[in-house]
Amino acid sequence: MRRFHFRLQHVLNMRAHARKQVELRLGVVTAECNALDIELEALAQKRTEGQKRVHGYESVLRSIQYRSKYIAWIDQESTRLQALRAEAEMRRLAVVDEYNAALQQEKVLQKLKERREKEYYRSAAAEEERHTEDLVSDGYIRGRGLNG
């Protein structure tokens, strides 16, 4: 029996490659979002620690001023990072949409390939069965012709 050959295999391969490229971009953007999340968590922890920290021999007023400036800086940095995180999330969602579209295009061709392959092997099996029946009937006819 001959093997199945899908005429659009090269298109399917290109779509699979395109999906993998989008998947890699999605990984990069997701890693960027995760890194920003880690930085935001670290700043939140620094802010909590900064509110608790007491400097040993400094005056209370100076310590309060230092802590308030430090916390203000942390808040400012946190706001900046949250804006970057929002932008990164928007990029990530755009890449997710692109990935879903690429995956859908690949799945459509993959299902078409599977359907055509199933049809091909079904028709090949039917043809092989017809060929076998022809051989058997020819053998039967020849056997009857010799005997009788």
Side-chain angles (χ1 to χ4, degrees):
M1 182 184 305
R2 288 182 29 213
R3 292 185 57 197
F4 172 73
H5 175 71
F6 186 53
R7 285 188 241 163
L8 298 174
Q9 185 64 43
H10 63 283
V11 175
L12 180 61
N13 292 343
M14 287 176 16
R15 288 195 178 167
H17 180 71
R19 178 194 48 83
K20 288 176 187 175
Q21 293 299 318
V22 173
E23 194 173 323
L24 290 174
R25 283 198 328 242
L26 179 61
V28 168
V29 173
T30 301
E32 183 182 338
C33 288
N34 291 341
L36 288 170
D37 287 339
I38 290 169
E39 283 186 58
L40 284 167
E41 288 175 17
L43 280 177
Q45 187 175 3
K46 284 181 182 180
R47 189 176 198 282
T48 304
E49 290 172 3
Q51 289 173 337
K52 294 178 186 176
R53 186 179 299 160
V54 175
H55 296 283
Y57 300 108
E58 295 179 343
S59 69
V60 174
L61 183 59
R62 187 174 176 142
S63 177
I64 291 172
Q65 287 175 338
Y66 170 76
R67 275 191 268 163
S68 67
K69 286 181 181 179
Y70 183 66
I71 290 172
W73 174 81
I74 288 176
D75 289 342
Q76 182 182 8
E77 189 67 14
S78 179
T79 303
R80 184 183 70 79
L81 287 176
Q82 286 173 352
L84 287 175
R85 174 63 170 94
E87 290 173 13
E89 183 65 20
M90 294 298 285
R91 284 194 311 272
R92 190 186 73 78
L93 291 175
V95 174
V96 165
D97 290 342
E98 191 178 340
Y99 175 76
N100 288 335
L103 185 63
Q104 180 66 26
Q105 289 177 350
E106 183 184 4
K107 280 185 178 181
V108 166
L109 268 182
Q110 187 65 35
K111 286 184 180 186
L112 177 64
K113 177 184 176 182
E114 289 170 3
R115 190 177 320 128
R116 292 235 176 113
E117 185 175 20
K118 187 185 284 186
E119 289 172 3
Y120 173 81
Y121 283 120
R122 189 178 311 137
S123 67
E127 187 177 324
E128 188 174 323
E129 186 176 327
R130 271 184 268 136
H131 183 68
T132 304
E133 286 176 4
D134 287 345
L135 288 175
V136 169
S137 63
D138 285 348
Y140 179 74
I141 292 173
R142 284 187 193 142
R144 284 193 77 196
L146 293 176
N147 294 333

